Every structure is written in structure tokens, then in C-alpha cells.
Amino acid sequence: MKEKRTGFTTRMGAIAATVGSAVGLGNIWRFPYQAGENGGGAYILVYLICILLLGVPIIMSEFIIGRSTHKSMKGAIEELTPGSPFKLFAYVGVFGAVLICGYYSVVCGWVIEYLWTSADGTLLGHTPEQYSSIFTNFIGSPQRCVIWTILFMVLNFLVLSRGIKNGIERIANIMMPLLFVLLIVFCVNSLMLPGSSKGMEFLFNVDFGNLGWEGVVDAMGQAFMSLSLGVTCLITYSSYFNDDSKLMKDAVTISALDTLVAILSGIVIFPAVFSFGLEPGAGPKLIFEILPTIFQQMPGGTIWAVLFFVLLFFASITSTISLSEIPITFLIDEYKISRGKALIITAVLMTAIAVVSALSFSVLSDVKLLDRNIFDFLDYVGPNFFMLLGGLVTAIYVGWILNKDVVHDQLTNGGMHRSRFVQPYIIFCLRYIAPIAIILIFLYYVGVI
Ligand code: PHE
């Protein structure tokens, strides 16, 4: 008899929580700055292709593993294919999640700083150039960055200590629709700025001359980052799904909503970047320079700013919750320790890494790994190595190793509905496209191509 987990209570709740994991700083902070650094349109096209050919199939592979067993990765693989060494990759996922959460929560700390300064009225009222130096000064101040990062971590683990179901489900149900509405308001506002069409051109005009291999790697890493792939997050979440949810429909809904948020964020950011004559390739600080400029010229700017950063905070915390849940569920499942203990171990570890990366722009700015400071290093290896490796492993596992009856059973809910085209599509992408694409990227890393 399968051990029953108390899962998400409704299908909507499960989707909202998974969208909550997917939609976060990846969409609103990382996607625009990566698109900006890689020349816009061509990057976005490659990104969309990655979502279709890699994103949806790999989400499905994680869902199939998690939902068929109601276990996290290691236990799931043991149950599905006893003795298979693939279970060892669970450690890669857990390790990747800890590293990613370690730098991601630093940006969450920045969001709190901006929320705070918007609310006390000191953020707005500067020129676009001043916003750039305000940001640089802020990340260069060790105390503020560390305090906000720790505060964020405390809030994150407080929510987690209440158990994931009601907390996450409820927050996600309210916050995600609100975030959409607000993004649309900001899009309309950005599009009305003088000279906004240049920004739209930058976003949607596909010119491969601007996109090198590095840009393709970034687009692929970003697709994985944005959909929360490859670090066993979706295996963990789907282990809490009901047996009657339709996995393919859910995977498509989640990817579509996630992509929509990313594109909307681009439409908020780039028209404003060009309208104010700023630099699209400004890197991680991009949105922190542009957003205040946008809020400032809206009537009632302070209120918009506060509202936006509150929602960005919620979008981020629903993502860090899912990242933290990976090691927590893993420790509980593997070492049979209590949720409380698992939570404390995870919290200490993640907060330690977060504090170190919060100092990357000040005290530890001289520490370089692969030519990058600690923060940039984690932002690079998290998505571009750990997530891709995890994605490769799940793709090969479900594409080649796992019994196809399990796949069929999960896709059709035990034969309840058909999957005539879906299964061949998923399996083809998992067998050939994902492994070849990811291996090519790894060969590029080591300089073979
Ligand atoms: N998908 C999240 C985002 O776009 C980040 C994330 C990655 C969350 C991996 C969970 C697991 O912000």
C-alpha cells in the first residue's frame, strides 16, 4: 500500500503553487537582464524554442517521476527502477537547489530594500543615472545587504515551518493573479512612453547577429531557471499532486503562464530603457534602475512602487519556498528526521551561503570564481550547470530507462483519456532533443565546440 501524502487540496491550488515556484525573480529580474545582455529578439526566440522542446517535456518527466510514486527523487527512482544508479543524481538536485537559493535570496533582499525605501519615500525622486548609483551604493554596503537577506530567509523559513500546503497554496492563489494584473498596468504605461517602439523593436526584432553561443547557453539556462527544472523541484511538488490531475494540461498551463510573465516583464522594461536612453545590457542591476524611473513618472508613483515590490516579494518567496522544500523533503524522506530538524538544517545551510553571496559586491568582491564574483558565479553555474545536468538526467531517465507503461499511465491517468500525439512528442524530445542539446552545451563549456 502506497504511503499517502497529504497533498495540495485543489487542482487550482497545485497549479497556483507550481506557477508560484516557476514565476519569480527568474521572470521579472533575470529574463529581462539576460535578454538585454544578449541582444533581445534572437535570445527570446531561442528561449521560446527551449520552452517548447525542452521545458514542457522535462516538466513532464519530473511530473511523471513525482506523481507516479508520491516520493521525492531518490525514493521515487528506487521505487520505479530498483537498484538504478540514477537515484544518486538526487544529490545533484538538492545541492543545486541549495546553491541557487543561496544567491536568489540575495536578490530577494534587494527587493525588500526597494520595498522599504519606496514605502518611506526615499526611493523615488531621482534621475535615471542616480538610480544606477543608488543601486551600486546599496549592494556595496555589506550591512544592509546581509540584514535584508537574513530577514528574507527568516520569513521564508517561517512560512515553511507552517507546512507547505495551506501557506503556499493560499498565498499563491491570491498573489499570482494580482501580479498579472499589475504587470499589465505597467506594460500599458511603458508602451505609452515616448520612444517606446524602439524597446519593442529590441524585444521582438530577431537578429541572430547579436546572439553568440554564450547567448544560446544563457537562453537555455534561463528556460530551466524559469520553469524550476532540473533541481527536482517539480518532482517534489508533483509528489504532492492528486492522482486525477491532468499532467500534460498542467505542464502546458504552467509553462504558458510563466512565459507570459517573462514576456510581459520585457514589455515593461525595454520600452522604458529606450525611452530614458538607458543601457539594455546593464546586467543584474537592470530592473533596479529602470523600475523606479517608471514608477516615478506615473501618477501616484509611490503606491505603484510599493505595490509592485510587495508582489515581487511574494513572487520570489513562493519560489524560494519551493527551492527550500527540495532539501527539506529530501532530508525527511531519506533520513527519516522530523520536518522541524530538516528545516533547521536547510535554513542554516542556505542562509550561510546567502550571506556569503550577499557580500560579493562589497567585502568579498575580490573573490573570483571563473572570473566572476561569488554571486555572479552562482547565478551562472546554478542554471547553466546544475539545472541543465539535472534536466539531462531526468530526460534520459524517463526517455530511455523508465518503463513506458508508467509514462502512459501518468499521461492518461490510467487510461482515462488519450495521449495519441503527446506521448510520442514528449518521448522524442526526452530521448533525442534534450540530451543532444544539453550535451552540446557541455561540450561548448569545455571548449570542444
Ligand atoms: N523558477 C524560479 C524563478 O523563475 C526559480 C526557481 C528555480 C524556483 C528552481 C525553484 C526551483 O524565479
Side-chain angles (χ1 to χ4, degrees), residues 21-27 100 104 225-229 231 233 258 319 322-323 326 387:
S21 164
V23 172
L25 293 168
N27 310 59
I100 291 169
Y104 195 96
M225 176 73 181
S226 196
L227 293 176
S228 310
L229 302 179
V231 283
C233 177
D258 185 69
S319 298
S322 71
L323 276 164
I326 299 167
M387 295 185 129

Side-chain angles (χ1 to χ4, degrees), residues 164-185:
I164 54 163
K165 291 105 216 164
N166 288 332
I168 303 182
E169 217 177 304
R170 211 172 290 151
I171 290 185
N173 269 333
I174 305 170
M175 293 298 157
M176 288 301 135
L178 258 177
L179 185 75
F180 268 99
V181 174
L182 213 62
L183 274 177
I184 290 171
V185 173

Side-chain angles (χ1 to χ4, degrees), residues 49-59 220 224 229 433-434 437-438:
I49 295 173
C50 290
I51 297 285
L52 276 181
L53 295 182
L54 309 172
V56 174
I58 295 177
I59 296 186
M220 222 159 120
F224 278 66
L229 302 179
I433 299 189
I438 299 174

